[in-house]
Structure formats: structure tokens, C-alpha cells
Amino acid sequence: MKRYKVVGIGNAIVDVLSRAEDTFLVHMGIEKGIMQLIERERAETLYGAMENRVQAPGGSVANTLAGLGSLGLPTAFIGRVHDDALGRFYADAMAKDGTDFVNPPVPGGELPTSRSMIFVSPDGERSMNTYLGISAELGPDDVAEDVASAAEIVFLEGYLFDKDKGKDAFLRAARTCRAAGGKAGIAISDPFCVERHRADFLRLIEDEMDYVIGNEAEIRSLYQNDDLDADLAAVSSICPLVVCTRSGDGVTILHEGRRTDIPVTKIVPVDATGAGDQFAAGFLYGLATGADMKTAGEMGCVAASEVISHMGPRPEANLQALFRQKGLI
């Protein structure tokens, strides 16, 4: 038995959420529905403009781990925060959610703790403005071998692929986990990140990954065309397990050459923040507990549906109870 079912590595970001009309987004020069990287001064301006702020620990993979922790799986998170108020809040909040925050807050003259200002429109769409701060400086020295080797599954966040030290951290985590008999996989995270590092992404998936999770746009970005079926076939030829979420059109899973399509019921989101993160939580829960691909995919859909029914990127309802209602466990 491994100490952890899932160990994640990614950006440690404090999410700050606020509701906002579309006119406010236009006034502030915020592009709707995407994640934009911003500098420290812009972050302070947007933070000051937010009304009725809700603060929560975030980051894509960290949100997934919170979902897995709520499901009772032992998890750990590898990330960097500064020893400031936000960093201490983040580390404490992860621990309260049941995930070991294995790297203590960093003291000294480091960059501030990362934060993302998320403006939620009336239609549930979220516009994310992220100041990466210290989290983007994560490197291989932050990956403890005794943590990565203690994981049955390692889950990597594609956003961290923008820096060489992040790539090196991924390789150290994946290789250490796999050498100890575990599985390693990645969330593609962002088509723009793929466009900046396409060859390296494909090399990583082919040489180091046991599974890959992405949405339709992210999968297509790997091969720069509009033929999703061809792209899925191409990725599945280099990786044994490929999971593609297609919003209201369902989920497609290719596992060792076998395709599984899972339909979903379309609902109007209250807040779409964290939908992909919690899909990953449900799917990885199924993978970690030995479920078949159809069941694991349905678990992901249930978790995603729960999180978009309220504000915030982490589950509020009991996911195990929801799985039981659906006959999944």
C-alpha cells in the first residue's frame, strides 16, 4: 500500500471570486471567459475593484486534490507559497481539506503568494486574471522523492510547463513515481500553453505519461487541426489512456485502443469555475479505486455537475453520496 493515492504538482494559487456584470468586464479591460496572466500591479488594481470577495485556496490540480480529499482518498500537493498571509492561509486550508501540503511556506525575499481574481458573469462564465507570483518558480528541488515514490498516481498541471524548471519538476515527479510502480499523468490545462510548448508536450506525453486529460480545445491544440477524432486517435497512439471532456457534448475516453463515450445532461452553470478540475477528481477517484472507464468517467461528470451548481471551484455536497445515488459505488 502506498502512502498516497494521488499526489498532485501544480500552481498554488489563492482564488478570489466576485460576481461581475459584462459591462464591468468591458470597463476594466477583462476578456471574458479565459484565463489571463497579469502582473503584480494589475493584480492589485483588480483586487481593489472586487466587491463581496470570496477567498479560497485554488489552482487547477490543487482543486482536484481537494475533491479527492473530500472523497476520502489520501492525497498530497507539491507547490510553492510564500510565508505571507495568503501563503499561510493556503497551506492551512489545504490541510483542512485533507491534503498534505508537503512544502512549507517559503520565507525571505521570494515573490508573493500567487492569486487569481475570478469575475463570475450572470451566465456563470468565469474570467480569470492570474498573478503567478512564487508558484511559477516551482522546480525539481521542490519534488521530494519520498513523496513522489509514495504515490499510486501522480497528476501534473500543464500550466507549470511554461518554465524549464517546471518541466524538470514534472520529469522528476513522473519518473520517481513510475520507478516505484505508480502511474503518472497530466492535465493539458490550456491550449495556449500547448501552442508555446507543443513538441515538448507531445514528447512528455509519449515518453513519460500513463494518462492525459484535456478538453476538446486542448486536445485539438496538440495537432493544430479541427478533426477531433483524428486527434484523439493520434494521442491514444502515444499514451494508453486519453480522456477528453467536450462540455455539454459529453466525455470520450480511449483506453488501450477501446473507446467509451459518456453523455451528459446539460445544465446552466451558476459558476463554471473548477468544472474541469472536479471532473478530474471524479475520474481519478474511479481510476484509483479500480472502477472501469465508463464508471470513472461518470464519476467525473457527477463531480463536475456538482461544482458548477454553486460559486467556487471545490465541492460543497458529499460526492460519495452523489455517486451512490447514481449507482456508481
Side-chain angles (χ1 to χ4, degrees):
M1 291 289 292
K2 299 278 191 178
R3 190 186 346 155
Y4 300 114
K5 282 289 188 180
V6 181
V7 169
I9 176 171
N11 281 307
I13 300 174
V14 177
D15 285 338
V16 188
L17 294 99
S18 175
R19 293 191 179 277
E21 299 291 333
D22 288 352
T23 52
F24 173 86
L25 302 182
V26 173
H27 175 69
M28 296 300 293
I30 298 169
E31 189 169 348
K32 183 176 178 179
I34 69 167
M35 192 281 287
Q36 300 177 85
L37 295 178
I38 59 175
E39 296 302 321
R40 186 173 181 174
E41 183 178 350
R42 172 74 166 163
E44 292 170 352
T45 298
L46 293 181
Y47 184 85
M50 301 180 90
E51 296 182 355
N52 301 315
R53 294 183 292 258
V54 177
Q55 184 172 289
S60 178
V61 164
N63 289 336
T64 297
L65 291 173
L68 288 165
S70 76
L71 284 161
L73 295 190
T75 58
F77 180 64
I78 298 169
R80 284 176 71 86
V81 297
H82 186 52
D83 188 13
D84 53 19
L86 283 179
R88 292 187 292 272
F89 161 79
Y90 191 97
D92 290 345
M94 289 294 290
K96 288 177 182 176
D97 283 341
T99 293
D100 285 353
F101 192 81
V102 296
N103 296 336
V106 180
E110 294 274 354
L111 293 169
T113 295
S114 310
R115 72 288 310 266
S116 181
M117 276 62 67
I118 303 172
F119 296 90
V120 183
S121 306
D123 60 1
E125 191 59 81
R126 81 278 194 217
S127 306
M128 305 171 68
N129 301 265
T130 303
Y131 168 61
L132 289 178
I134 192 175
S135 68
E137 298 304 312
L138 187 139
D141 291 344
D142 296 304
V143 180
E145 287 201 11
D146 63 342
V147 174
S149 63
E152 290 187 14
I153 297 170
V154 160
F155 189 40
L156 313 174
E157 181 179 313
Y159 286 126
L160 270 177
F161 214 67
D162 264 326
K163 291 192 175 184
D164 288 341
K165 63 174 68 175
K167 296 176 186 178
D168 292 341
F170 279 4
L171 291 176
R172 180 178 173 92
R175 290 172 179 174
T176 302
C177 173
R178 298 178 88 196
K183 296 182 182 297
I186 191 169
I188 297 176
S189 297
D190 182 359
F192 300 111
C193 190
V194 173
E195 289 171 11
R196 291 190 292 269
H197 308 282
R198 184 171 288 106
D200 285 346
F201 247 111
L202 288 170
R203 191 177 303 112
L204 179 80
I205 291 170
E206 181 170 11
D207 296 342
E208 311 287 352
M209 298 292 101
D210 298 294
Y211 66 93
V212 60
I213 300 175
N215 63 31
E216 185 174 353
E218 291 160 359
I219 295 292
R220 283 178 169 173
S221 69
L222 289 171
Y223 297 99
Q224 297 176 281
N225 64 53
D226 291 325
D227 189 340
L228 181 62
D229 285 339
D231 294 342
L232 286 170
V235 185
S236 66
S237 72
I238 62 173
C239 185
L241 173 55
V242 179
V243 184
C244 177
T245 60
R246 295 180 289 122
S247 190
D249 294 326
V251 176
T252 297
I253 301 172
L254 287 91
H255 181 226
E256 297 178 345
R258 182 177 180 180
R259 177 169 175 153
T260 302
D261 289 298
I262 301 166
V264 297
T265 301
K266 293 184 180 181
I267 63 174
V268 177
V270 173
D271 172 18
T273 308
D277 304 339
Q278 295 312 321
F279 172 85
F283 179 80
L284 290 176
Y285 177 82
L287 189 66
T289 56
D292 59 62
M293 290 296 104
K294 181 175 183 293
T295 300
E298 289 175 345
M299 287 175 170
C301 292
V302 169
S305 294
E306 188 282 335
V307 82
I308 66 174
S309 69
H310 57 77
M311 286 282 286
R314 299 187 174 192
E316 293 181 353
N318 185 315
L319 292 181
Q320 280 199 342
L322 294 178
F323 290 169
R324 289 192 189 95
Q325 289 175 16
K326 298 289 186 179
L328 301 176
I329 57 175

